[in-house]
Amino acid sequence: MLVTDYIIGKEVNRYSKNCYAPSAEDFEQSYFVWLCTAGNVLLEQNRNVKIYVSVDNRLRTDDSDAIGAKVFLQKLSTNVKASGGIPFDIAISLGNGEDIGDILAGANKDISIVNANSFALISELLSSEEMLIDGKERGVIIDSLCLPVTMTEQNRATYYAYTYYKAAEAGFDAFFFTANENGGIMNAEGDRRDLFYVAYMCGSSYYQQVYDYLGRLQGG
């Protein structure tokens, strides 16, 4: 099997939790070196390799142990370009569905958080001067969406289907669902959940059946 896409880290702007860095400044420099080193090694082996920087969906944050994804990515992009370094694309995690109320209502009350109703925020970020590379926008994927079983089956399936189609509409290159031990497409008895059928039908000729879920969304 030939692997050509690599995600370097996981939600790395949450440096205290995911990268064990003592400060934002230390982390930014360390990740810059890590990204460039890994990228150069990978590109030396295959010039078609795609390298992704993983961030969470908080564009801005007041937390002392994290950097807002917007500031982090713009600074990283500027530093990498100044060094003549590697090209990279963006992998964004959409969290754990905490905003299910906004999704079902067709709203986005927190404009600092990226979800299916606010993918335009990512488009704006990627089109900023700091993020452009050779005059072109970087690619973007969703590298994680993890919906807990505390949601109803229908809400989980609706959230997934809506996010899938909004991501496709926004031009994202890929969408990965992350299953925790209780939140996969099968239940404990091995029976298929609603999420299984929705994931199976999204993007297929069976899309009409997905409307049973999307019809629950206001303005969806």
Side-chain angles (χ1 to χ4, degrees), residues 13 34 74 114 118 168 181 204:
N13 57 313
W34 182 26
Q74 288 180 329
V114 177
S118 59
E181 61 184 13
S204 75

Side-chain angles (χ1 to χ4, degrees), residues 5-6 38 84 124 137 177 193 195 209:
D5 293 1
Y6 293 84
E124 292 173 9
E137 293 186 9
F177 178 78
R193 302 181 190 269
L195 181 59
Q209 297 174 55

Side-chain angles (χ1 to χ4, degrees), residues 160-161 164-165 168 197-211 214:
Y160 176 91
Y164 175 94
Y165 283 107
Y197 294 102
V198 166
Y200 175 78
M201 290 185 290
C202 278
S204 75
S205 59
Y206 297 101
Y207 65 89
Q208 187 67 42
Q209 297 174 55
V210 180
Y211 288 173
L214 296 180

Side-chain angles (χ1 to χ4, degrees), residues 156-174:
R156 293 174 74 240
T158 299
Y159 196 119
Y160 176 91
Y162 185 59
T163 302
Y164 175 94
Y165 283 107
K166 296 298 284 187
E169 182 181 83
F172 286 23
D173 295 327

Side-chain angles (χ1 to χ4, degrees), residues 134-203:
D134 297 329
K136 298 179 181 179
E137 293 186 9
R138 300 176 188 273
V140 58
I141 65 174
I142 296 170
D143 71 337
S144 177
L145 173 65
C146 186
L147 300 177
V149 291
T150 50
M151 285 187 190
T152 66
E153 283 289 298
Q154 283 196 325
N155 280 353
R156 293 174 74 240
T158 299
Y159 196 119
Y160 176 91
Y162 185 59
T163 302
Y164 175 94
Y165 283 107
K166 296 298 284 187
E169 182 181 83
F172 286 23
D173 295 327
F175 175 18
F176 294 93
F177 178 78
T178 300
N180 58 31
E181 61 184 13
N182 295 316
I185 59 177
M186 305 285 194
N187 62 21
E189 290 72 40
D191 298 323
R192 295 168 176 174
R193 302 181 190 269
D194 285 6
L195 181 59
F196 173 92
Y197 294 102
V198 166
Y200 175 78
M201 290 185 290
C202 278

Side-chain angles (χ1 to χ4, degrees), residues 60 98-118 121 218:
R60 298 187 300 276
E98 302 94 336
D99 51 359
I100 181 64
D102 284 352
I103 291 292
L104 291 175
N108 185 47
K109 296 176 183 176
D110 188 348
I111 61 173
S112 69
I113 300 295
V114 177
N115 64 20
N117 287 327
S118 59
L121 296 174
Q218 294 185 31

Side-chain angles (χ1 to χ4, degrees), residues 65-139:
D65 61 348
I67 308 168
K70 180 176 181 179
V71 170
F72 171 72
L73 287 172
Q74 288 180 329
K75 185 180 294 187
L76 178 65
S77 176
T78 298
N79 290 339
V80 169
K81 285 190 290 187
S83 70
I86 62 165
F88 66 85
D89 292 324
I90 312 303
I92 183 169
S93 168
L94 294 185
N96 301 304
E98 302 94 336
D99 51 359
I100 181 64
D102 284 352
I103 291 292
L104 291 175
N108 185 47
K109 296 176 183 176
D110 188 348
I111 61 173
S112 69
I113 300 295
V114 177
N115 64 20
N117 287 327
S118 59
F119 284 153
L121 296 174
I122 291 296
S123 298
E124 292 173 9
L125 171 61
L126 295 179
S127 64
S128 66
E129 183 63 31
E130 296 92 334
M131 291 301 299
L132 295 177
I133 179 169
D134 297 329
K136 298 179 181 179
E137 293 186 9
R138 300 176 188 273

